[in-house]
Amino acid sequence: MTDYVLSDATREKLKKVSTASVATALFKRGLRNQFVQGVVPVERKPVTMVGQAFTLRYIPAREDRNPLTVFRNRDHKQRVAVETCPEGHVLVMDARKDARAATAGSILITRLALRGAAGVVSDGGVRDAAGIAALDMPAYFARPSAPTNLTLHEAIEINVPISCGDAPVFPGDVMLGDGDGVMVIPAHLADEIADECTGMESYEDFVLEQVQAGAGIIGLYPATDEDNLTKYAEWRERSGR
């Protein structure tokens, strides 16, 4: 869907910014629906999840197509997605926000992590959530759910445009996840969003120091008073930011 390749430099910049900053930067560009609604970290991690999207789409399961024996098929789309998600990418699953059944469990997600994936996002449930929480790799879900995916979901397509938590996700888009949730950055904007948000984070660190020292926010946040911009320039000089 895109020829964009996330560079190491942009990845490192994005690892230092927040979903809040990304949401604001995208809003400036008229993009209001890039936050994946209804997903939370399975377990908060000390690192920010950054990686390009590799997608898996589920449709509602039809009983005659989804007996337990379908897992014997070597081309089962759920299993193939886990085995083909590229290193450094994020597996993003569209479960139609239906968490009544799992979209994956700890064995599959462990395999994904060991293959070098940057993370996993599902707007449905996962089973064996404690095992997934124990992994170093970031994972996001709607909630724990014990029933196998076959009870409600049929894995139907890999690496196609999907909806995840009402957000449009195209293969190759950049997924950024922190403790607040997950943002979807359109691939063609990823580099400029990384640059802009790096500056935003720097200014907000300055603002927080000023507020903690007793400063008021009017004229400071946003910076509409020239003297605050002067103070910020001096702060950057001192801090190397």
Side-chain angles (χ1 to χ4, degrees), residues 78-216:
Q78 182 204 43
R79 267 56 176 175
V80 172
V82 168
E83 291 294 341
T84 58
C85 179
E87 183 177 355
H89 281 54
V90 174
L91 179 60
V92 187
M93 294 184 279
D94 172 7
R96 312 172 314 284
K97 299 194 300 181
D98 190 342
R100 293 177 297 158
T103 49
S106 64
I107 292 176
L108 269 64
I109 302 304
T110 297
R111 172 62 178 162
L112 189 70
L114 290 174
R115 292 192 61 254
V120 60
V121 181
S122 172
D123 64 359
V126 300
R127 65 201 308 198
D128 312 314
I132 295 171
L135 298 171
D136 291 335
M137 183 186 74
Y140 294 80
F141 70 155
R143 61 176 171 83
S145 188
T148 177
N149 63 308
L150 300 176
T151 60
L152 287 172
H153 307 305
E154 178 176 347
I156 198 74
E157 284 186 293
I158 294 172
N159 224 28
V160 296
I162 63 170
S163 168
C164 187
D166 293 328
V169 183
F170 291 83
D173 283 349
V174 178
M175 311 298 294
L176 187 145
D178 61 13
D180 287 350
V182 179
M183 291 296 300
V184 185
I185 307 172
H188 68 283
L189 294 175
D191 293 343
E192 65 181 79
I193 292 294
D195 288 339
E196 180 174 326
C197 289
T198 298
M200 289 172 61
E201 296 282 345
S202 170
Y203 185 70
E204 289 189 359
D205 286 347
F206 162 74
V207 168
L208 187 58
E209 282 191 18
Q210 296 297 301
V211 169
Q212 289 173 336

Side-chain angles (χ1 to χ4, degrees), residues 1 4 40 69 77 150 155 160 176 182 202 214 239:
M1 297 297 297
Y4 176 78
V40 295
T69 53
K77 293 294 192 296
L150 300 176
V160 296
L176 187 145
V182 179
S202 170
S239 66

